[in-house]
Amino acid sequence: MRVLALADEAPPVDAAELVGSNQPDAVVTLGDLEPAWIASLASIDLPRLGVHGNHDGEHELTTFGIRDVHLTREWVGGWSFAGFEGCVRYSDGPHQYTQEEAADLARRLPPADVLLCHCPPRGVNDEPDDPAHVGFSALRDWVMRHRPGYLLHGHTTPDPRRRTHRLGATEVVWVRGASVLELRR
C-alpha cells in the first residue's frame, strides 16, 4: 500500500498535486498542519485519515474530509489504521495530555496494522529533556503489546545519527513535511 504522509511543515508543493504525482492509495496526516497546507485535500477522492497535533484546532481535520482516527480503527485496502492525537501536556491548549491521561486513553486504542500518532512513544525519536517533545510512555507500552507493522509520527526533530527506525517488531517512520511510503506486510 502506498501512503502519502504529511506532518508538521508545509509540503514542497500543494497537497493535491502531491497526490496526483505520487498516486497513493491513502493520505495520512500526523498533525500540526496549517489549514492552507492541506485545504486542497478536500477535493481528492481517496481515503484520508489523520490525527490532530498539539497546534491544531478542534475538528480541523473534518473540515477537509480527513477522518479523525484518534482512539479508533479504520480499514483502507485491507490495512487497519489506528490513531493517537496530540502530545504530552506542556501548556494550555487542545490535544495535550499528561502521561496519566494518555495511559487512560491508550487503554481504549484498538490494535491495528499501522499506528498514526503526532507525538512518538517515549524513547522513540523524542526529546526527553524538552517537556514539549517527550514521548508518551503509554504508546510505547501499546506498541510493544500490539506490535503494529508500522508507527508513523511527527512532532519531534530527531538527530539523524540517533533516529529510531524500529521499536520491537514495529517499523518506525518519522515524518516532517511530506513522505511517500510503501507499506509492506
Side-chain angles (χ1 to χ4, degrees):
M1 167 173 271
R2 180 183 286 245
V3 172
L4 171 63
L6 304 167
D8 293 292
E9 68 181 36
V13 297
D14 178 75
E17 189 178 323
L18 278 175
V19 169
S21 62
N22 289 287
Q23 300 294 304
D25 300 303
V27 176
V28 299
T29 63
L30 305 174
D32 286 357
L33 294 160
E34 295 287 330
W37 301 344
I38 59 173
S40 65
L41 292 178
S43 68
I44 65 166
D45 186 25
L46 276 180
R48 292 154 287 167
L49 314 170
V51 293
H52 288 102
N54 54 297
H55 294 295
D56 295 333
E58 294 291 330
H59 312 295
E60 211 163 84
L61 298 175
T62 55
T63 303
F64 306 112
I66 300 167
R67 170 104 165 99
D68 182 353
V69 295
H70 178 59
L71 303 180
T72 67
R73 180 175 45 221
E74 185 82 16
W75 291 87
V76 176
W79 289 77
S80 59
F81 292 80
F84 200 92
E85 71 179 13
C87 72
V88 175
R89 180 171 300 285
Y90 66 94
S91 69
D92 290 333
H95 318 297
Q96 295 181 45
Y97 305 99
T98 66
Q99 293 286 1
E100 294 76 22
E101 290 168 333
D104 288 342
L105 291 171
R107 284 193 266 289
R108 298 183 1 222
L109 184 61
D113 299 318
V114 182
L115 175 62
L116 307 178
C117 51
H118 180 60
C119 178
R122 178 170 246 148
V124 176
N125 298 326
D126 66 346
E127 299 164 37
D129 297 329
D130 178 357
H133 295 103
V134 66
F136 283 122
S137 297
L139 279 186
R140 184 180 188 91
D141 296 342
W142 185 93
V143 169
M144 297 308 290
R145 184 172 52 257
H146 294 291
R147 302 168 47 114
Y150 293 88
L151 179 156
L152 312 181
H153 79 88
H155 187 57
T156 60
T157 308
D159 181 329
R161 296 168 296 172
R162 291 188 288 280
R163 189 172 304 149
T164 301
H165 298 282
R166 294 202 75 73
L167 178 58
T170 301
E171 184 172 335
V172 175
V173 180
W174 169 73
V175 176
R176 184 167 215 79
S179 293
V180 177
L181 311 168
E182 294 286 345
L183 305 183
R184 301 186 193 291
R185 295 206 189 267

